[in-house]
């Protein structure tokens, strides 16, 4: 048992230190995703240490390392729990009516279309976004168009298709290809019946992983390009999607600071979405950020509909007369702005090797 304990201590230390190395290769970026699980294993290993049959003089050094790692991860993760103090704001008379949306990575090869349609019918959001939706998914979702007359579709077979459906009137819609001509992001300008305009961004950059992109360069470049675009818009803004990133990573924080948006998970919950089938190995990679005049009342996951991601459900309202969220906005320093520009350029120069049509392994 002592040998198992030592192996776990070393492994947890490596997984803690790897993300600190500023290298875009997936080996260094993937451990960021498992911070919650790593913290649980630190606790388990700490307890295991007392059960290990050893009188090593280094025992308390190892336990001390585990304690320091727990504090390091805990200080970061506690921000994404209800324990962290964040002011809650109630809806005022001059605010918009409540708006609801669902964001879902449907998994291109998931053929349980009816389960997703029933999910939309059950929660009846004003708007919903799908990612990894191809031509088959587009055909399957046609029955919903009678209730969602406004839509913007980017139909692709490379697992980066995206479809946006709305009951709220679309005034303008654009598709951006910030770093690659096969990775779309959408920008949709909407106007509610009670006269509130806002902009909805849908994003889905490629992940750094041993089976997809070798580095995080395209992901980070795409997200930071979106952040720059958002900063130019003088309207309430929401950015939603499968970020293939976690909120506490350096690039996510840089995204938040560059865009001047707020992370609603802070003071609320992790809202973990992937992998839908394995609760203990679930990461919060379907993220959301919003401007200061958008107020989130509810942010949660919904039931699985056959995808590898859980859908995200959100209730929010718009209030131009409430400045209390301004204090939550962090702005990028000059050094961070330079770094963001460099990451955008690296993302554009990276040659992602994706097929135009992808088949399930």
């Amino acid at each position: 048992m002592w040998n198992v304990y030592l192996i776990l201590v070393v492994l947890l230390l490596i997984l803690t230190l790897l993300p600190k190395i500023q290298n875009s290769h997936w080996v260094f970026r993937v451990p960021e995703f498992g911070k919650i699980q790593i913290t649980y294993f630190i606790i388990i290993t700490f307890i295991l240490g007392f059960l290990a049959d050893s009188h090593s003089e280094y025992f308390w050094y190892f336990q001390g390392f585990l304690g320091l790692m727990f504090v390091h991860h805990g200080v970061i993760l506690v921000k994404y729990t209800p324990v962290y103090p964040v002011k809650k704001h109630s809806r005022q008379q001059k605010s918009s009516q409540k708006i609801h949306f669902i964001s879902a990575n449907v998994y291109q090869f998931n053929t349980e279309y009816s389960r997703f349609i029933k999910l939309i019918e059950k929660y009846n959001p004003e708007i919903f976004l799908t990612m990894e939706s191809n031509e088959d998914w587009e055909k399957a979702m046609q029955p919903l168009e009678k209730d969602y007359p406004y839509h913007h579709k980017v139909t692709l077979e490379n697992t980066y298709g995206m479809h946006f459906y709305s009951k709220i009137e679309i005034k303008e819609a654009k598709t951006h290809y910030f770093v690659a001509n096969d990775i779309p992001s959408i920008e949709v300008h909407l106007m509610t019946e009670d006269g509130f305009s806002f902009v909805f961004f849908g994003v889905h950059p490629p992940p750094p992983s041993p089976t997809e992109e070798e580095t995080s360069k395209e992901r980070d470049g795409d997200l930071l390009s979106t952040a720059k675009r958002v900063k130019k818009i003088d309207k309430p803004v929401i950015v939603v999607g499968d970020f293939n990133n976690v909120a506490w990573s350096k690039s996510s924080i840089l995204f938040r600071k560059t865009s001047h948006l707020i992370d609603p998970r802070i003071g609320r919950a992790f809202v973990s979405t992937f992998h839908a089938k394995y609760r203990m190995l679930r990461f919060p990679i379907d993220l959301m950020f919003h401007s200061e005049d958008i107020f989130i009342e509810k942010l949660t996951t919904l039931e699985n509909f056959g995808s590898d991601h859980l859908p995200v459900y959100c209730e929010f309202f718009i209030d131009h007369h409430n400045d209390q969220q301004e204090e939550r906005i962090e702005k990028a320093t000059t050094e961070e702005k330079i770094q963001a520009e460099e990451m955008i350029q690296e993302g554009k120069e990276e040659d992602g090797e994706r097929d135009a049509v992808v088949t399930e392994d």
Side-chain angles (χ1 to χ4, degrees):
M1 187 179 287
W2 177 250
N3 289 335
V4 172
Y5 168 77
L6 290 179
I7 291 169
L8 286 173
V9 171
V10 173
L11 180 60
L12 290 167
L13 183 60
I14 291 170
L15 292 174
T16 297
L17 292 177
L18 278 176
K20 299 296 179 186
I21 301 171
Q22 295 309 308
N23 188 303
S24 61
H25 194 278
W26 66 264
V27 168
F28 300 94
R29 301 279 61 87
V30 167
E32 292 176 319
F33 289 60
K35 187 176 287 289
I36 300 169
Q37 288 78 8
I38 289 169
T39 306
Y40 284 137
F41 271 104
I42 288 171
I43 297 170
I44 293 168
T45 305
F46 186 84
I47 296 170
L48 180 65
F50 291 107
L51 303 176
D53 185 20
S54 175
H55 301 288
S56 171
E57 59 183 304
Y58 299 108
F59 171 73
W60 286 108
Y61 289 104
F62 295 135
Q63 291 292 78
F65 272 128
L66 290 170
L68 288 173
M69 285 190 283
F70 175 79
V71 171
H72 166 72
H73 292 295
V75 166
I76 294 170
L77 294 177
V78 74
K79 291 180 66 176
Y80 302 92
T81 70
V83 175
Y84 192 77
V86 171
K87 290 180 181 177
K88 300 294 188 291
H89 306 281
S90 57
R91 192 153 56 93
Q92 305 297 317
Q93 255 187 336
K94 293 182 179 180
S95 66
S96 73
Q97 294 297 310
K98 235 189 269 189
I99 303 169
H100 312 74
F101 75 76
I102 289 175
S103 168
N105 182 322
V106 297
Y107 182 55
Q108 182 171 301
F109 309 105
N110 173 24
T111 58
E112 298 186 63
Y113 310 117
S114 61
R115 288 179 67 184
F116 179 73
I117 290 171
K118 287 176 182 176
L119 183 87
I120 296 299
E121 291 173 342
K122 176 182 176 179
Y123 291 96
N124 194 30
E126 283 77 18
I127 52 183
F128 71 89
L129 171 74
T130 63
M131 291 150 287
E132 290 203 27
S133 39
N134 61 356
E135 187 175 354
D136 289 339
W137 269 97
E138 184 176 311
K139 289 177 181 176
M141 292 189 291
Q142 281 180 352
L144 292 170
E145 293 184 11
K146 66 180 185 298
D147 294 321
Y148 294 87
Y150 306 102
H151 22 80
H152 182 65
K153 304 172 182 178
V154 186
T155 311
L156 297 172
E157 301 293 334
N158 65 350
T159 72
Y160 290 97
M162 195 175 291
H163 289 68
F164 179 84
Y165 294 83
S166 176
K167 295 180 179 181
I168 301 171
E169 183 181 0
I170 293 177
K171 291 294 187 180
E172 182 184 1
K174 302 175 183 177
T175 302
H176 299 285
Y177 295 90
F178 289 121
V179 299
N181 60 10
D182 58 350
I183 302 294
S185 300
I186 64 169
E187 173 186 335
V188 185
H189 295 244
L190 302 109
M191 174 70 76
T192 66
E193 289 185 357
D194 52 352
F196 287 82
S197 62
F198 67 100
V199 183
F200 187 102
F201 278 82
V203 299
H204 183 204
S209 81
T211 57
E212 296 194 51
E213 299 306 312
E214 186 174 315
T215 74
S216 64
K217 289 180 180 179
E218 279 192 310
R219 180 198 70 183
D220 297 340
D222 189 72
L223 292 175
L224 289 167
S225 296
T226 302
K228 279 186 65 180
R229 171 61 188 162
V230 164
K231 192 171 175 291
K232 295 176 182 177
I233 296 174
D234 189 25
K235 291 180 184 178
V237 175
I238 292 178
V239 183
V240 177
D242 176 2
F243 277 58
N244 278 312
N245 206 356
V246 283
W248 48 79
S249 75
K250 183 174 181 179
S251 55
S252 279
I253 293 169
L254 192 55
F255 170 89
R256 174 163 54 83
K257 289 182 175 182
T258 303
S259 62
H260 296 181
L261 297 182
I262 295 166
D263 182 354
R265 281 172 166 76
I266 294 176
R268 190 181 299 272
F270 296 121
V271 195
S272 298
T273 54
F274 177 89
H275 196 286
K277 294 179 181 177
Y278 311 112
R279 181 179 294 273
M280 295 305 295
L281 297 175
R282 196 170 289 170
F283 311 132
I285 63 173
D286 292 86
L287 304 183
M288 171 193 174
F289 295 86
H290 63 88
S291 55
E292 66 199 52
D293 36 15
I294 286 178
F295 295 81
I296 308 302
E297 290 206 336
K298 186 175 184 179
L299 181 65
T300 187
T301 55
L302 301 177
E303 58 266 29
N304 188 10
F305 59 91
S307 174
D308 52 355
H309 288 245
L310 294 176
V312 174
Y313 175 80
C314 180
E315 296 179 5
F316 70 94
F317 62 89
I318 303 167
D319 189 349
H320 299 298
H321 304 278
N322 191 336
D323 299 327
Q324 293 183 38
Q325 285 196 132
E326 281 187 8
E327 63 194 38
R328 296 185 63 185
I329 294 175
E330 294 182 69
K331 298 181 180 179
T333 63
T334 301
E335 184 181 343
E336 287 172 328
K337 289 176 183 177
I338 293 171
Q339 187 176 26
E341 291 294 340
E342 290 173 350
M343 291 168 76
I344 289 170
Q345 191 57 38
E346 287 178 353
K348 291 178 179 178
E349 292 172 358
E350 186 75 357
D351 184 20
E353 298 179 0
R354 287 174 295 272
D355 296 326
V357 178
V358 178
T359 56
E360 188 172 20
D361 293 336

